[in-house]
Amino acid sequence: MLLIIIPKFEPSDFADLILKYQPAGIMGVPTYFEGLMDESKIKGKDPAELKVVLNGAGAAGISIAKLLIDIGFTNMTLCDIFGTIYEGGPANTDAQREMAKITNKEKLAGTLADAMKGADVFVGVSRGNLVSEEMVASMNEKPIILAMANPTPEIFPDDAKAGGAAVVSTGRSDFPNQVNNVLAFPGIFRGALDVASTAINEEMKLAAVRAIANLAKQPVPDVVNEVYHVNNFTFGPDYFIPKPVDPRLITEVSMAVAKAAMDS
């Protein structure tokens, strides 16, 4: 049995605590983007040129944004319930103010709909039904939609595709490309524990991201095909991220994380 003791902390420390430990559970979205590093040619752009809009600037959203920037997706605008976040504008937390310094370089002030105009990618970690087909249609050609709100995504896959989306992910298992923190949780902690790591640093997180992304491009084990009653999972628009039941996740991710811990 593993017993984790969290010491007493003041309410004001809560956001910092969440931001410190939350990233271990939100590898799915950065994993997806790590896969796009090799596939960004489908839009004829380098990762840094892809305009990314991330809605939901809380602990999870900011953690995702930081990892995406580390991977190379630096052209990003964050939004919260009040609209875009920009340097010099209103922000609810210190974390948002810090992110405003390195995102939304055009200092766009407006709504989520304003931010999505001309964007290449939308990432949602907010709440359901915030994005319309028309908002997707206002994005660049063949946009990528990652609508992670559960149980109701920011936009359903059929509506996103009707708006012109090329690739769509949600957090639900009944749609293709499910982004779920179970892809990362076991492997990250297994790897950290195996080498008695005292922290989970950025290098370890990125190692997990890349290990998961690499698995999506490998032949899929029979056990995964059997669970989903298919035999044709191949890397592409409907299979861009490994399935949560893939048994390789625990070993591949843990080994990558352990190595990164020792190297860093």
Side-chain angles (χ1 to χ4, degrees), residues 20-21 191-193 195-201 204 261:
K20 183 176 180 181
Y21 292 103
L193 291 169
V195 296
S197 177
T198 58
I200 297 175
N201 59 29
M204 294 162 70

Side-chain angles (χ1 to χ4, degrees), residues 50-111:
L50 291 172
K51 181 180 177 182
V52 180
V53 175
L54 193 154
N55 192 57
I62 289 175
S63 296
I64 291 168
K66 288 179 176 179
L67 280 177
L68 294 182
I69 290 170
D70 286 344
I71 291 171
F73 294 85
T74 55
N75 185 7
M76 184 183 306
T77 297
L78 301 183
C79 298
D80 65 5
I81 192 171
F82 301 108
T84 58
I85 294 173
Y86 55 95
E87 189 173 14
N92 292 320
T93 67
D94 290 340
Q96 288 183 352
R97 280 183 280 274
E98 287 300 311
M99 291 303 296
K101 296 176 182 179
I102 57 174
T103 59
N104 195 356
K105 297 174 183 178
E106 298 176 355
K107 295 186 178 182
L108 171 68
T111 64

Side-chain angles (χ1 to χ4, degrees), residues 164-180:
V167 180
V168 184
S169 278
T170 71
R172 290 174 44 156
S173 61
D174 53 341
F175 295 119
N177 298 320
Q178 180 191 18
V179 174
N180 191 297

Side-chain angles (χ1 to χ4, degrees), residues 3 27 36 48 62 65-66 96 99 150-151 157-158 163 166 181 183 187:
L3 176 63
M27 294 296 137
L36 288 177
I62 289 175
K66 288 179 176 179
Q96 288 183 352
M99 291 303 296
N150 268 327
D158 287 348
N181 56 20
L183 294 170

